[in-house]
Amino acid sequence: LGGCAPRQKAAPAKSAPSIVIGFSQLGQESSWRQRNTDSVLTAAADARYRVLYRNGDSSQEQQIKQIRSFIISRVDAIVFAPIVETGWTAVLKEARAAGIPVILDDRNIAPAERKYITSAVFTDAVGEGQKAAAFVKKKFTNHQGPVRMVQIYGNKDSSVSVGRSRGFTEGLAGDGRFQTVATEYGDFMISKGEEVIRQLAQKVDLHTIDVIFSHNDDMTLGILKYLKTTDIKPGKDIVIVSIDATQEGIDALRRGEINADIECNPETGPKLMNLINLVLNQQSFASSYYLEDQVFSEFDTHLATVKRRY
Ligand code: GZL
């Protein structure tokens, strides 16, 4: 691989069916991820692009193999959602040598490796963490004394786990009351969320915990499942802040089992396809595009009417 002759293809028509996109999705770990996959595939179909969809099964090794197969297939563009932030340089250099633009979906990679990336469409993970912190500060405005917190991250070394925890820490900086007493990794999955909180409860008395910040709704559902086997009332004895704002997350918020749900918008498909159109037609484009996120919390009065698409 590598050293492929630079592509001499003429500039393709805007959205001719001849355009082929290689799409390496990081996995199928959560309902959010499924919605993101559907958003990309639906938008590609609307743009009349053909997509080679591959499920990375939460494995960087699989994703790298998939990207290499796209290069061999000489696709017109590659889209991938990187499971972790680093370790992509070699395969990205091969795509660059083959003259194939590579666009990030949903997640970022380390700054040192971004130079091989054409552009990206994602949400602001740091901002999501800051929004979670803003809710916690508001919730504990009149609280005297320490606020003991547990954080349940998603995929270790992923840009969203790094970003969300950074934003949460930044948002609470300067207020010595807030202390994170334990952090665990639940890989954004329901089953792992339940497993890690059950294991943590063997080490930490959860009756002494004031806040659980869970980095996605699927892990939160697993946490709720475990807490319901204890005498702890989620949303009352422990404040629970979650991210994604899936329908099931909003339903738990309505039931008072969680206290806030920060949206992470999965609908990257339309912006991705518009970006690919710009890239393939040699038009100007930005280095990154961000989707907006809103906050849902117990302080909202309109929760009863909130309908989510995933
Ligand atoms: C966030 C995305 C995360 C979601 C999880 O941008 O990468 O991965 O928050 C998903 O639900 O598994």
Side-chain angles (χ1 to χ4, degrees):
L1 285 179
C4 302
R7 292 153 64 77
Q8 301 303 329
K9 255 181 146 178
K14 268 193 179 175
S15 61
S18 65
I19 299 295
V20 181
I21 313 293
F23 174 36
S24 171
Q25 178 60 287
L26 67 85
Q28 294 175 304
E29 76 287 356
S30 64
S31 52
W32 186 100
R33 181 66 49 201
Q34 197 51 53
R35 181 64 213 154
N36 179 246
T37 299
D38 294 347
S39 174
V40 174
L41 297 182
T42 302
D46 292 347
R48 294 173 56 231
Y49 292 159
R50 198 156 71 82
V51 177
L52 303 180
Y53 164 74
R54 297 290 180 275
N55 166 17
D57 208 14
S58 295
S59 154
Q60 179 174 36
E61 187 186 354
Q62 279 300 322
Q63 286 199 281
I64 289 171
K65 282 180 186 160
Q66 291 161 2
I67 294 170
R68 286 214 163 98
S69 75
F70 297 149
I71 294 168
I72 292 167
S73 306
R74 303 186 68 74
V75 298
D76 294 280
I78 293 169
V79 173
F80 81 113
I83 178 83
V84 291
E85 287 190 296
T86 58
W88 304 99
T89 298
V91 75
L92 293 177
K93 278 182 174 172
E94 291 164 26
R96 175 61 56 93
I100 302 175
V102 181
I103 293 168
L104 298 177
D105 170 41
D106 171 42
R107 296 205 178 158
N108 208 345
I109 62 176
E113 307 195 23
R114 266 301 296 260
K115 56 178 170 283
Y116 301 109
I117 292 296
T118 302
S119 187
V121 178
F122 33 43
T123 54
D124 178 2
V126 174
E128 288 152 4
Q130 289 167 339
K131 288 180 173 123
F135 170 80
V136 167
K137 283 197 96 160
K138 181 175 179 181
K139 180 73 179 173
F140 286 87
T141 300
N142 303 318
H143 179 91
Q144 306 301 318
V147 178
R148 292 164 50 83
M149 308 187 296
V150 165
Q151 282 195 58
I152 308 295
Y153 294 6
N155 301 118
K156 190 169 171 45
D157 301 328
S158 68
S159 63
V160 282
S161 293
V162 170
R164 287 173 179 169
S165 54
R166 199 176 97 215
F168 190 64
T169 303
E170 285 172 358
L172 296 174
D175 189 332
R177 294 177 299 159
F178 297 100
Q179 302 157 11
T180 294
V181 299
T183 57
E184 300 291 348
Y185 289 92
D187 287 343
F188 290 124
M189 295 166 70
I190 296 174
S191 56
K192 294 277 304 267
E194 181 184 5
E195 180 190 321
V196 295
I197 199 71
R198 179 191 308 280
Q199 288 170 349
L200 183 65
Q202 311 309 315
K203 297 181 284 186
V204 173
D205 178 359
L206 295 182
H207 296 89
T208 67
I209 299 301
D210 301 297
V211 176
I212 295 176
F213 174 34
S214 167
H215 287 203
N216 93 319
D217 286 351
D218 279 23
M219 293 190 298
T220 300
L221 294 176
I223 291 163
L224 292 177
K225 191 174 171 197
Y226 169 71
L227 290 179
K228 287 173 183 172
T229 67
T230 73
D231 64 348
I232 294 171
K233 289 187 289 305
K236 312 250 178 324
D237 300 330
I238 293 186
V239 170
I240 297 182
V241 183
S242 190
I243 298 183
D244 277 353
T246 62
Q247 189 59 59
E248 289 193 271
I250 295 298
D251 292 346
L253 180 61
R254 274 201 200 102
R255 292 194 302 269
E257 293 173 357
I258 70 172
N259 307 82
D261 204 349
I262 316 299
E263 181 185 31
C264 173
N265 191 333
E267 308 287 356
T268 56
K271 267 194 164 58
L272 277 169
M273 297 308 139
N274 183 51
L275 169 58
I276 288 170
N277 183 42
L278 295 175
V279 171
L280 295 184
N281 287 283
Q282 285 82 38
Q283 294 173 357
S284 61
F285 53 86
S287 59
S288 298
Y289 294 85
Y290 288 86
L291 301 182
E292 291 301 310
D293 291 330
Q294 59 182 313
V295 176
F296 299 94
S297 84
E298 63 185 27
F299 302 130
D300 293 336
T301 52
H302 68 292
L303 280 182
T305 59
V306 172
K307 256 329 267 145
R308 304 296 291 162
R309 293 182 61 192
Y310 58 99

